[in-house]
């Protein structure tokens, strides 16, 4: 090791930095006393501030692990006050100093004893390294390199079911607990049981906790130091995004010592979550055979553990499974429980978009509008709803349903055009007397021509609209975005523009919107007539227009009046048609 460090120093010429690298390598190998000696030698070399901050931070964490509170505080304080060239370490040191000051004197730091492994530094090796740590803890002498080679030969990856299958081949079992809590993690660690923790596209091992630092001690090959304290509030959003799954790997004899109720729960949760995991390989397929396989896995999961709300919601809200699912698994009481527990779990530290939309749809289907609105309002208050524009638009619709027009304007008006429901927003603007804004939104309805489906039907109740807009019948995608307006909806918007523009005395608005509308719908007699009347009004009021502009408007009035007369086949608009016809004749006569 010493020779290696000399060669490093000669190569870089920065002895303090080289000692830091050497100490980190020793830490990753579990040789903590040797690592501390190198860090102390590195500090004695008086390296630059950035390297000094890093050395002090590693020493602080080693001191904390040894229970030396004074040395821990001193090292953190050095980073905050003196070695400030690493803002990330300064922030972390300040966080931990504050936590130490607030902690009770007997705040516990517990780490599973005698747990270590040699890390294999290869890309995408989180599963082999993590499995090696927990498997070796139970006396199975496999290295990450061996596991990586086996995994490659078996063509498996880093999923929960892959890990379960692999540990079984080595005489162990992985027991799974979805929707777990930090208290669950602590209880297992107090029994000296290391835990596999699954986050999106990654797995790590939790080997301890620190009540003073409010952290979990982890072995995470995706981090710079690998053996690190992760603040719990930073850990939670990543972990909960994968439904807060922990895996405890045990030999059969150790599993038998767990309390009977816990063993029973672990057995059904494991069966359920493995089937949940296995359905993903068919998740995006449109092949009918794959869809049946996915449904079979999901229904097995629901049958084993109906308290896992995410699979209940996933099956219940998908139209493609409406006639194939087993009715006894999706009774009203089961759906209600899933809707309630889903909102409770996803309220904080959860931003996985698809499950959020599924839970929202399930609550809509069950008529839990007020409960869902409160949930979305709470997320809007803490800023987390901004990550989900579909749900932001849904909250705007629920506000409109509740006759809260200012709330509807605030949420729908903050969204991009493809999420804002212009016909609803226009009506909300009208109700708040923001007529100019209402005209602009109705103008969007008139102009929309290329969105993928239909807008709101003005005669449909808001409750039915919410249910309908929550799902796309021909696919698995859930959404709350507006769609291309129907002819009727666009005509309604055109009429609202006409009414509001008339109140504002603005014939130009009517003319512009009507032209756009009539380019697509030439046979709408009402709009053609309104267009002719607006042209007549403009000619009468704006006599100072340039001669060429007046001539263009006269020709347009003549054409529109004649076409309106042709379209009025049943004579319902006879008087209005006659009026614009007379105006046309008067304005165009010599």
């Amino acid at each position: 090791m010493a020779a290696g460090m000399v060669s490093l120093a000669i190569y870089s010429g920065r002895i303090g930095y080289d000692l830091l690298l050497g100490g980190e390598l020793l830490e990753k190998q579990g040789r903590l006393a040797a690592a501390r000696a190198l860090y102390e030698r590195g500090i004695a070399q008086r390296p630059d501030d950035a390297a000094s901050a890093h050395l002090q931070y590693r020493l602080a964490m080693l001191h904390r692990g040894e229970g030396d509170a004074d040395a821990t505080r001193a090292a953190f304080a050095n980073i905050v006050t003196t070695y400030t060239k690493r803002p990330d370490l300064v922030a972390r040191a300040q966080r931990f100093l504050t936590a130490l000051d607030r902690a009770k004197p007997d705040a516990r730091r517990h780490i599973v004893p005698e747990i270590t492994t040699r890390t294999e530094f290869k890309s995408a090796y989180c599963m082999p390294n993590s499995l090696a740590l927990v498997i070796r803890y139970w006396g199975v002498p496999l290295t990450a390199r061996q596991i990586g080679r086996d995994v490659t030969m078996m063509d498996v990856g880093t999923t929960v079911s892959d890990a379960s299958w692999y540990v079984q081949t080595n005489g162990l079992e992985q027991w799974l607990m979805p929707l777990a809590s930090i208290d669950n993690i602590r209880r297992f660690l107090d029994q000296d049981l290391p835990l596999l923790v699954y986050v999106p596209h990654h797995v790590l091992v939790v080997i301890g906790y620190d009540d003073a630092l409010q952290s979990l001690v982890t072995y995470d090959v995706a981090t710079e130091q690998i053996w690190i304290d992760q603040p719990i509030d930073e850990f939670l959003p990543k972990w909960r995004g994968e439904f807060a799954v922990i895996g405890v790997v045990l030999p059969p004899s150790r599993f038998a010592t767990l309390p009977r109720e816990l063993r029973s729960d672990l057995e059904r949760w494991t069966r359920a979550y493995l089937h949940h995991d296995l359905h993903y390989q068919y998740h995006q397929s449109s092949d009918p055979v794959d869809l049946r396989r996915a449904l079979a896995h999901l229904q097995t999961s629901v049958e084993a553990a109906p308290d896992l709300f995410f699979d209940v919601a996933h099956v219940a809200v998908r139209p493609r499974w409406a006639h194939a699912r087993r009715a006894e698994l999706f009774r009203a009481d089961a759906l209600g429980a899933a809707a309630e527990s889903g909102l409770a779990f996803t309220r904080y530290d959860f931003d996985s978009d698809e499950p959020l939309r599924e839970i929202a749809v399930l609550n809509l289907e069950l008529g839990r509008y007020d409960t869902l609105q409160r949930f979305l309002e709470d997320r809007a208050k803490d800023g987390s709803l901004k990550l989900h524009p579909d749900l932001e638009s849904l909250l705007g619709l629920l506000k409109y349903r509740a006759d809260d027009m200012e709330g509807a304007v605030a949420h729908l008006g903050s969204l991009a055009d493809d999420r804002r429901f212009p016909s609803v927003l226009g009506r909300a603007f009208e109700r708040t007397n923001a007529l100019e804004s209402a005209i602009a939104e109705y103008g969007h309805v008139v102009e929309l021509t290329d969105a993928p489906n239909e807008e709101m039907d003005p005669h449909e109740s808001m409750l039915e609209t919410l249910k309908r807009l929550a799902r796309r019948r021909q696919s698995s995608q859930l959404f709350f975005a507006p769609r291309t307006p129907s002819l009727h909806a666009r005509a309604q918007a055109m009429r609202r523009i006409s009414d509001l523009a008339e109140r504002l005395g603005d014939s130009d608005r009517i003319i512009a919107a009507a032209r756009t509308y009539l380019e697509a719908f030439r046979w709408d007699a009402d709009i053609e007539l309104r267009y002719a009347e607006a042209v007549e009004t403009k000619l009468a009021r704006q006599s100072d227009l340039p001669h060429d502009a007046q001539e263009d408007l006269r020709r347009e009035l003549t054409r529109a009046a004649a076409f309106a007369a042709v379209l009025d086949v049943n004579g319902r608009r006879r008087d209005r048609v006659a009026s614009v016809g007379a105006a046309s004749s008067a304005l165009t006569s010599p």
Side-chain angles (χ1 to χ4, degrees):
M1 181 67 201
M5 292 308 301
V6 170
S7 65
L8 278 171
I10 292 171
Y11 177 76
S12 71
R14 299 167 60 195
I15 297 176
Y17 184 71
D18 297 332
L19 291 168
L20 169 63
L21 294 178
E24 287 182 334
L25 181 61
L26 290 172
E27 271 200 83
K28 292 167 185 176
Q29 295 173 347
R31 300 162 64 185
L32 304 185
R36 184 179 62 179
L38 285 188
Y39 294 147
E40 290 171 344
R41 286 178 57 194
I43 291 173
Q45 297 295 321
R46 299 183 181 276
D48 61 50
D49 281 359
S52 294
H54 209 149
L55 287 162
Q56 291 282 354
Y57 184 82
R58 296 315 312 155
L59 268 179
M61 297 312 302
L62 289 177
H63 289 317
R64 177 60 191 158
E66 295 164 353
D68 190 337
D70 291 339
T72 303
R73 283 189 172 88
F76 281 144
N78 283 337
I79 299 169
V80 172
T81 60
T82 305
Y83 305 112
T84 59
K85 297 297 186 182
R86 284 285 302 268
D88 56 328
L89 294 182
V90 172
R92 184 62 57 86
Q94 184 61 68
R95 171 197 282 264
F96 285 160
L97 271 176
T98 302
L100 286 170
D101 290 340
R102 294 175 178 173
K104 296 178 180 179
D106 59 348
R108 190 178 184 210
R109 181 179 178 88
H110 177 69
I111 297 177
V112 175
E114 299 179 9
I115 183 165
T116 185
T117 188
R118 286 183 177 270
T119 302
E120 190 71 21
F121 298 103
K122 286 188 177 182
S123 175
Y125 248 51
C126 60
M127 180 66 82
N129 280 305
S130 298
L131 283 179
L133 186 66
V134 296
I135 287 175
R136 290 175 67 84
Y137 181 72
W138 294 110
V140 179
L142 288 174
T143 65
R145 179 176 297 181
Q146 290 172 301
I147 295 172
R149 185 172 60 246
D150 293 344
V151 166
T152 301
M153 290 177 62
M154 292 183 299
D155 193 28
V156 297
T158 60
T159 67
V160 176
S161 52
D162 294 335
S164 293
W165 190 89
Y166 188 80
V167 299
Q168 274 188 328
T169 65
N170 289 280
L172 304 170
E173 289 280 355
Q174 176 180 223
W175 301 99
L176 301 169
M177 180 184 286
L179 307 182
S181 66
I182 294 298
D183 285 341
N184 295 135
I185 289 178
R186 286 173 54 94
R187 281 194 285 270
F188 281 115
L189 293 173
D190 284 340
Q191 300 176 63
D192 290 333
L193 299 177
L195 300 171
L196 290 167
V197 169
Y198 295 90
V199 300
H201 314 297
H202 184 51
V203 61
L204 59 135
V205 184
V206 177
I207 61 170
Y209 61 84
D210 192 314
D211 287 339
L213 300 183
Q214 289 294 293
S215 65
L216 295 175
V217 185
T218 64
Y219 173 77
D220 185 356
V221 295
T223 60
E224 187 177 358
Q225 286 83 39
I226 297 184
W227 303 89
I228 67 167
D229 277 60
Q230 295 199 30
I232 289 174
D233 61 352
E234 294 178 7
F235 170 83
L236 279 174
K238 296 180 290 186
W239 178 46
R240 288 168 62 84
E242 198 71 23
F243 300 116
V245 179
I246 54 178
V248 54
V249 174
L250 298 171
S253 58
R254 182 64 178 86
F255 179 73
T257 67
L258 298 178
R260 177 182 298 177
E261 184 177 355
L262 177 58
R263 293 201 309 271
S264 176
D265 283 340
L266 287 174
E267 286 170 346
R268 65 187 185 87
W269 287 332
T270 299
R271 174 175 169 78
Y273 199 81
L274 287 177
H275 279 281
H276 165 85
D277 189 58
L278 288 168
H279 105 276
Y280 277 118
Q281 60 189 307
Y282 312 111
H283 187 70
Q284 300 297 334
S285 176
S286 58
D287 185 287
V289 175
D290 285 346
L291 292 179
R292 287 196 295 272
R293 289 170 176 161
L295 180 60
H297 281 302
L298 290 167
Q299 291 194 138
T300 301
S301 172
V302 171
E303 185 176 29
D307 45 333
L308 302 186
F309 68 85
F310 43 86
D311 282 340
V312 176
H314 186 63
V315 176
V317 304
R318 300 289 173 171
R320 64 186 181 185
W321 288 323
H323 303 295
R325 62 182 180 236
R326 292 163 53 190
E328 72 274 13
L329 297 179
F330 299 92
R331 301 185 311 273
D333 57 338
L335 295 176
E340 184 173 352
S341 61
L343 291 184
F345 182 84
T346 59
R347 169 61 189 89
Y348 299 102
D349 298 315
F350 189 90
D351 283 309
S352 184
D353 193 63
E354 183 177 74
L356 275 172
R357 285 183 283 126
E358 289 173 344
I359 289 299
V361 174
L362 181 58
N363 278 270
L364 287 177
E365 291 287 333
L366 298 176
R368 293 164 49 90
Y369 304 107
D370 294 337
T371 301
L372 177 59
Q373 182 174 332
R374 287 193 296 271
F375 168 82
L376 295 174
E377 286 171 342
D378 287 343
R379 290 198 61 129
K381 288 176 184 176
D382 64 25
S384 61
L385 202 63
K386 290 294 183 185
L387 301 172
H388 309 281
D390 281 350
L391 298 181
E392 181 97 30
S393 66
L394 174 59
L395 178 55
L397 295 176
L398 289 168
K399 292 277 191 180
Y400 185 90
R401 167 191 170 268
D403 206 31
D404 179 359
M405 296 301 130
E406 291 184 355
V409 166
H411 291 286
L412 293 176
S414 68
L415 296 166
D417 288 347
D418 63 346
R419 287 290 187 276
R420 60 198 286 131
F421 284 94
S423 60
V424 178
L425 186 53
R427 281 177 253 166
F429 274 129
E430 273 197 75
R431 296 276 296 278
T432 58
N433 208 35
L435 303 189
E436 294 279 359
S437 297
I439 289 174
E441 292 305 321
Y442 290 135
H444 290 315
V445 179
V446 172
E447 295 163 8
L448 281 172
T449 59
D450 57 357
N453 213 311
E454 82 276 6
E455 239 279 25
M456 290 183 62
D457 184 336
H459 299 296
E460 185 177 49
S461 76
M462 178 58 70
L463 301 188
E464 290 303 313
T465 294
L466 289 174
K467 290 181 180 180
R468 178 174 57 79
L469 291 175
R471 54 175 61 190
R472 182 179 295 171
R473 294 289 173 184
Q474 300 304 316
S475 78
S476 64
Q477 182 180 356
L478 304 178
F479 63 93
F480 301 99
R483 304 298 169 225
T484 300
S486 63
L487 171 61
H488 182 64
R490 295 174 76 179
Q492 287 285 88
M494 183 62 243
R495 293 185 182 98
R496 295 310 307 145
I497 291 173
S498 298
D499 292 342
L500 296 177
E502 187 173 348
R503 287 170 61 182
L504 294 171
D506 190 346
S507 57
D508 286 339
R509 292 280 185 87
I510 303 174
I511 292 171
R515 278 177 175 166
T516 300
Y517 176 84
L518 291 170
E519 286 175 1
F521 304 105
R522 293 294 305 156
W523 311 105
D524 192 318
D526 280 335
I527 303 304
E528 189 71 55
L529 188 54
R530 286 206 176 206
Y531 175 66
E533 290 169 339
V535 173
E536 175 193 352
T537 300
K538 183 170 183 175
L539 277 169
R541 291 180 178 176
Q542 300 183 19
S543 57
D544 58 343
L545 285 171
H547 178 74
D548 289 347
Q550 291 192 39
E551 286 300 311
D552 288 342
L553 286 174
R554 289 190 184 102
R555 284 193 293 271
E556 194 63 14
L557 176 59
T558 300
R559 183 206 60 76
F563 197 47
V566 171
L567 293 176
D568 188 32
V569 293
N570 55 17
R572 288 192 299 109
R573 308 168 187 83
R574 183 181 300 110
D575 292 343
R576 292 172 63 200
V577 168
S579 176
V580 296
S584 171
S585 298
L587 289 169
T588 57
S589 59

